[in-house]
Amino acid sequence: MTPDPSSPLTPADVRRYRNNLQEEVDGQGLYLLLADAEDDPNLKKVFERLAESEKRHIELWQEKLREAGADIPSFRPSMQVRVLGWLARRFGTGFVTPIVERMELNAVTMYDDQPEAIAEGLPGSERSHARLFQELGRQPGESVDVARLEGRHRSASGNALRAAVLGANDGLVSNLSLVMGFAGADPGREVVALAGIAGLLAGAFSMAFGEWISVRSSREAFDRQVEIEREELEMNPEEERAELVLIYQAKGLSEEAARITADRVFQNSETALDTLVREELGMSEDSAASASVAAVTSFLLFAVGALLPAFPWFFADGGLAIGLSLGLGAVGLFVLGAAVTLWTGRSALYSGGRQLALGLAAAGVTYGIGAALGVAIDI
């Protein structure tokens, strides 16, 4: 039910104001960090304008708290925001854009049932921010240097970071379960250690080979489409330019702005080719990454996760090895589960705890099965 703005304030209203204030502090902090990390002056201005917008929202909720006679907390940007800022400084703002886009989409409806926010136009502001980051994730708008972004956006993506987390998680969960299954059967330290190494290598090679096939196929398809588009561009450049104008108009630009943008893109033949492939075909160089790099990366990420539960069996045995293996696995599960909150926005404690519980449950099941099989074999 939507609260009546004329009704007396309740403790729930004060908590809501504080939650809103924290959200806006996070938003301002994130945009300032992105502006600081961005080299492109046009994008930097966009992020700075967004930060200024969030500053006004912060002042609104501070004023609401004063009117309610409540203390104004000295909030700082959350750990999630600080991590995203660190990643943006190290790898560029394009690296975290998909994550920020998801955060903005999740926040679109946060003010839809709050009369104080509606009166100040905050729901529209949130939708505007979400649309902006959707465009940054696909096609930049008029306020951004399109030719600049066409050559760099998505060159590194938050999706790559997500794949890294999931790859390490796959190695950890699968090998922890395998090691615990063998430990339950109690065949001896050497056998459990061998099983752990075998599981690590088998899984890592399987991941690497699968990734190599996938990326290689994408590369071949991409190269073929690029050649077709290159031939069309050489034979009918004006027709290709006209198609690009229509595409930009379909994205919401006026005809004049679409023509200016297309002209800018066509100033460089390679930029024009890259743009046409992306806009007409929905493909990009990002989908045609190096197969060997992808394979090696998948191998290493899986191996890192898989090594944690196997490592104690290289030097320990029995209950000590089981305890160390579960301990290292538990730490890895919690950290990887917490890392997922970069995309979900959930509590790191909740996500880490959930991942920990599920991983240990799987390990417990395989340990029990291993113990039962070990007894049966002994008999």
Side-chain angles (χ1 to χ4, degrees), residues 9 17 60-70 72 116:
L9 293 176
Y17 294 163
L60 168 66
W61 298 120
Q62 288 176 336
E63 180 60 29
K64 292 298 180 184
L65 286 169
R66 288 193 194 94
E67 292 174 359
I72 300 176
E116 307 93 339

Side-chain angles (χ1 to χ4, degrees), residues 247-328:
I247 290 172
Y248 285 147
Q249 285 184 265
K251 288 178 176 289
L253 298 185
S254 66
E255 181 177 357
E256 180 182 0
R259 291 188 182 281
I260 292 173
T261 303
D263 288 343
R264 186 182 303 173
V265 169
F266 268 71
Q267 288 176 358
N268 181 283
S269 59
E270 288 303 314
T271 299
L273 178 62
D274 176 70
T275 303
L276 289 167
V277 169
R278 179 180 292 114
E279 298 294 353
E280 291 186 12
L281 305 175
M283 303 178 69
S284 71
E285 189 70 27
D286 191 46
S287 66
S290 167
S292 59
V293 170
V296 170
T297 302
S298 295
F299 182 96
L300 293 176
L301 291 172
F302 187 96
V304 167
L307 181 61
L308 288 177
F311 180 69
W313 293 92
F314 298 163
F315 57 85
D317 196 3
L320 176 60
I322 291 175
L324 289 174
S325 186
L326 286 173
L328 288 175

Side-chain angles (χ1 to χ4, degrees), residues 47 49 56 120 175 345:
F47 293 137
R49 285 200 297 269
R56 291 193 294 271
E120 298 294 331
N175 221 34

Side-chain angles (χ1 to χ4, degrees), residues 62-140:
Q62 288 176 336
E63 180 60 29
K64 292 298 180 184
L65 286 169
R66 288 193 194 94
E67 292 174 359
D71 294 334
I72 300 176
S74 299
F75 286 135
R76 296 179 57 205
S78 66
M79 178 60 70
Q80 179 187 20
V81 167
R82 295 199 294 272
V83 170
L84 288 174
W86 183 87
L87 291 171
R89 287 195 302 274
R90 295 301 182 277
F91 305 108
T93 58
F95 190 82
V96 300
T97 292
I99 302 174
V100 179
E101 178 185 347
R102 175 53 52 189
M103 291 169 61
E104 293 291 350
L105 289 173
N106 289 339
V108 159
T109 60
M110 67 176 289
Y111 287 134
D112 284 359
D113 60 351
Q114 300 191 42
E116 307 93 339
I118 293 172
E120 298 294 331
L122 267 61
S125 178
E126 294 299 325
R127 289 178 172 79
S128 175
H129 293 181
R131 285 195 298 270
L132 171 62
F133 276 94
Q134 283 181 301
E135 288 303 307
L136 288 178
R138 294 194 300 269
Q139 143 73 33

